Amino acid sequence: MIRDKLQETQPIVYQTLSNAIKNRKFAHAYLFTGVKGTPKKEAALWFAQNLICEHTEDGFACELCDECRRITENTYADLIYLDGNDATIKKDSILHLQEQFSKTALEKSGKKFYILDMAENATTEALNSLLKFLEEPNGQDTQAILIVDSIDRLLPTIISRCQIIPFKPLNVEHYYESGLDSGLSSLDSYVLSHIVKDVDYMKEMSETEEYQTGMVVAERFVSLFDVDIHRFLVWFETEVLGNKDKDKDIVKMFLEILLIFFRDVVSNKESQTGWFEREVNRVANKNIAIEKILLILLESKDKCNRSYNLQLVIEQMIYEIKEVM
Ligand SMILES: [Zn+2]
């Protein structure tokens, strides 16, 4: 049941929507915003079910009746779902919908819905004409839900006309488990669940050169940084650097992985598996100022983003870490 899932994973969203449902007080338009992988579309469909279901239990949609099912299967005549995931949503399709929606509702509830998924991929004209329409009296029984991964790409005029419902990212454990389910090794799943918040993207990234090389470099660094950091540097400069197109991505990934590693050392975390487990234990038992190392890594990552000379960034980083040891 979507209701249980929302209550468990998105308690604040659940609270806001269920209050509206209980009091039957709705905004013209809602804006569901949150990173990929959060259940925004499911929540939008559940919300629509709640406006039409006649078989409610303690005031909420049953999620099982014919109407509820047709909402989730996208065959409910007065629900129009536009998907910006594959193609831009243009003004024409909005005008076409308005035309349809200005007629009497087809279903007996009399409620009509728009859901615009990935609304950041709708043109501004499309969004403006949708929201204008919603504010007109004939739009009274019409409800819109815009779904976005990132609110930054919407104009303030659009945002200000919607009630914003932020979805919080799911916790790392959720992505770790999904990664395992999708066939990633436990170390890859663990590391990637800290880097991206979408299981498909985790899988994709696990196959990239920057990730695979980044992991090799990170392991080598960790095993040498307190023993012979100079040996690491020589190896890194001769064996890894050298491809202008890839170097930066590899270095950024390698620093990202080191940050995960050293944070685990600080929190003395029981790590999942592989070299992480072995090295976290080893390093945690030494008297090293890990907080200082974390700071150096963060600064180095920042320099990479601001496109300094990569080799220089790494050499300076190694020098600073040596000073700390
Ligand atoms: Zn129902």
Side-chain angles (χ1 to χ4, degrees):
M1 301 285 267
I2 304 174
R3 183 184 167 199
D4 299 328
K5 184 177 173 184
L6 279 181
Q7 205 165 6
E8 195 187 311
T9 63
Q10 300 287 339
I12 296 169
V13 171
Y14 176 77
Q15 198 60 48
T16 311
L17 295 182
S18 62
N19 280 342
I21 291 163
K22 273 187 234 153
N23 302 323
R24 297 272 131 188
K25 281 191 93 171
F26 305 110
H28 278 309
Y30 289 91
L31 177 57
F32 289 6
T33 166
V35 295
K36 245 188 211 327
T38 46
K40 303 184 292 292
K41 183 183 171 186
E42 281 167 287
L45 294 175
W46 177 72
F47 190 65
Q49 286 176 333
N50 275 286
L51 300 190
I52 54 110
C53 180
E54 289 178 339
H55 307 84
T56 51
E57 283 167 22
D58 39 320
F60 293 97
C62 72
E63 301 187 39
L64 298 167
C65 69
D66 181 55
E67 274 81 18
C68 281
R69 256 189 329 98
R70 286 194 291 120
I71 293 269
T72 47
E73 287 165 3
N74 197 14
T75 54
Y76 190 82
D78 293 320
L79 166 68
I80 297 202
Y81 172 77
L82 286 181
D83 192 355
N85 281 294
D86 304 321
T88 312
I89 301 167
K90 300 221 173 70
K91 189 179 176 183
D92 280 354
S93 37
I94 300 286
L95 292 178
H96 176 69
L97 292 180
Q98 286 169 1
E99 167 89 38
Q100 267 183 285
F101 270 27
S102 60
K103 297 168 193 156
T104 324
L106 299 166
E107 304 270 359
K108 63 179 179 221
S109 79
K111 293 271 179 206
K112 292 173 272 184
F113 315 92
Y114 289 104
I115 297 177
L116 262 67
D117 205 350
M118 280 298 270
E120 55 257 78
N121 286 345
T123 62
T124 305
E125 292 78 24
L127 288 177
N128 271 326
S129 57
L130 169 67
L131 293 171
K132 241 179 253 151
F133 169 72
L134 286 172
E135 285 167 359
E136 284 164 13
N138 69 349
Q140 252 172 19
D141 282 324
T142 307
Q143 195 90 49
I145 300 177
L146 312 186
I147 299 177
V148 294
D149 287 349
S150 162
I151 205 171
D152 305 341
R153 287 172 58 198
L154 288 182
L155 287 177
T157 49
I158 306 287
I159 297 170
S160 68
R161 284 152 122 165
C162 302
Q163 182 177 342
I164 301 169
I165 310 279
F167 285 63
K168 70 178 174 66
L170 302 177
N171 58 21
V172 163
E173 285 76 19
H174 168 89
Y175 295 102
Y176 172 65
E177 293 295 336
S178 316
L180 289 182
D181 289 344
S182 77
L184 289 176
S185 80
S186 73
L187 182 58
D188 287 339
S189 202
Y190 179 71
V191 171
L192 288 165
S193 65
H194 285 78
I195 299 177
V196 283
K197 302 296 174 210
D198 177 56
V199 70
D200 293 331
Y201 196 31
M202 282 165 65
K203 259 206 103 142
E204 213 174 283
M205 192 175 269
S206 73
E207 284 155 18
T208 60
E209 188 186 339
E210 76 217 50
Y211 174 73
Q212 292 176 356
T213 310
M215 281 292 269
V216 172
V217 176
E219 182 180 5
R220 181 71 74 110
F221 176 91
V222 165
S223 68
L224 286 175
F225 82 101
D226 58 330
V227 191
D228 188 351
I229 203 168
H230 186 69
R231 204 162 100 214
F232 167 81
L233 185 60
V234 172
W235 171 80
F236 181 73
E237 289 185 340
T238 54
E239 303 291 325
V240 182
L241 287 184
N243 182 337
K244 272 204 164 63
D245 298 332
K246 295 267 169 67
D247 281 354
K248 192 170 180 176
D249 290 337
I250 290 172
V251 168
K252 274 160 70 176
M253 182 61 77
F254 144 65
L255 293 174
E256 192 70 47
I257 296 166
L258 285 186
L259 283 165
I260 299 168
F261 174 85
F262 283 107
R263 283 190 189 118
D264 278 5
V265 174
V266 171
S267 61
N268 215 343
K269 199 163 181 175
E270 294 279 317
S271 281
Q272 312 298 329
T273 183
W275 63 266
F276 253 64
E277 184 180 32
R278 185 181 69 234
E279 295 290 348
V280 166
N281 285 331
R282 185 183 72 81
V283 177
N285 287 324
K286 294 202 159 190
N287 196 12
I288 298 170
I290 303 294
E291 282 85 358
K292 285 185 184 157
I293 294 184
L294 279 172
L295 207 65
I296 296 168
L297 291 172
L298 280 171
E299 281 167 5
S300 307
K301 198 178 124 190
D302 184 50
K303 285 178 193 163
C304 283
N305 284 329
R306 289 187 284 120
S307 68
Y308 278 66
N309 175 331
L310 270 184
Q311 193 163 348
L312 212 63
V313 172
I314 296 296
E315 282 172 7
Q316 198 173 10
M317 178 184 102
I318 298 291
Y319 174 79
E320 286 172 11
I321 290 178
K322 214 172 161 183
E323 293 283 285
V324 170
M325 302 300 294

